[in-house]
Amino acid sequence: MSAPPDPRLILREDELDAGVELLLLAEASLWAAVDQGLEAEGLGLGRSHWRAAFLLRRRPGIGVQELAHLTSLSKQAASRILVDLSAKGLAEKQAGDIDGRRRSAALTPRGEAFEAAISERLRSLLVRAYRTGGLDGVAGARAILSAMAGGRTKSPGGGRP
């Protein structure tokens, strides 16, 4: 159970705007690292492909519908991303355990290597940032980002958050 919010925490509009600005700049830094990794991999894939591969590693067995929900892609776009990953030998679709019509996806060993190569770049950025923020900063950053992510942090399919 979380503690009640501190009533002294009243943020002015300019403080909130500074937070939005920092989020946008941090996002740009993360995507730049992803773009560099994608270019190094040389597979002709984009950010959405890496994002899907990352989520497949973190939440094995997700399908098109959950991928669409997590990424705010349309179901058609999420499906296309999985088709692209499969065509490159990075993912494979599997019939669902309960409902054979529901097809989940999983990374292949090659897909795991693809995802890991790019994710390692992001982990390096986070390590530096977390060290700058200190131990208390890590927990605070996670709490803030989790609150912003809302329901996306919970996996309807029972996968890891």
Side-chain angles (χ1 to χ4, degrees):
M1 182 160 202
S2 63
D6 187 335
R8 298 171 294 168
L9 188 58
I10 300 171
L11 299 174
R12 296 184 320 269
E13 188 173 306
D14 60 323
E15 291 169 322
L16 293 170
D17 287 348
V20 170
E21 180 181 6
L22 287 172
L23 284 171
L24 293 173
L25 296 174
E27 177 189 31
S29 179
L30 288 172
W31 285 126
V34 169
D35 291 343
Q36 291 168 357
L38 288 167
E39 188 175 320
E41 290 296 310
L43 295 172
L45 299 175
R47 294 173 177 180
S48 292
H49 295 96
W50 171 78
R51 223 172 24 159
F54 178 81
L55 290 168
L56 286 172
R57 181 183 62 81
R58 294 281 298 165
R59 300 169 185 237
I62 64 171
V64 170
Q65 188 168 352
E66 187 174 3
L67 182 61
H69 167 73
L70 293 170
T71 60
S72 294
L73 292 170
S74 67
K75 283 192 265 184
Q76 182 178 8
S79 178
R80 183 75 212 149
I81 294 297
L82 291 177
V83 166
D84 291 348
L85 290 174
S86 294
K88 300 280 186 181
L90 303 176
E92 57 192 7
K93 292 184 180 177
Q94 307 161 334
D97 294 338
I98 298 170
D99 182 352
R101 295 170 297 173
R102 183 190 177 275
R103 305 207 14 117
S104 61
L107 291 177
T108 63
R110 186 169 177 222
E112 290 172 0
F114 162 76
E115 185 278 328
I118 296 170
S119 291
E120 185 55 38
R121 293 169 180 268
L122 299 182
R123 286 187 206 103
S124 295
L125 287 174
L126 280 175
V127 164
R128 286 193 301 271
Y130 282 168
R131 285 185 178 150
T132 300
L135 290 176
D136 292 336
V138 173
R142 284 185 178 166
I144 290 166
L145 293 173
S146 179
M148 290 182 73
R152 286 183 170 89
T153 60
K154 308 267 188 293
S155 176
R160 287 186 281 185

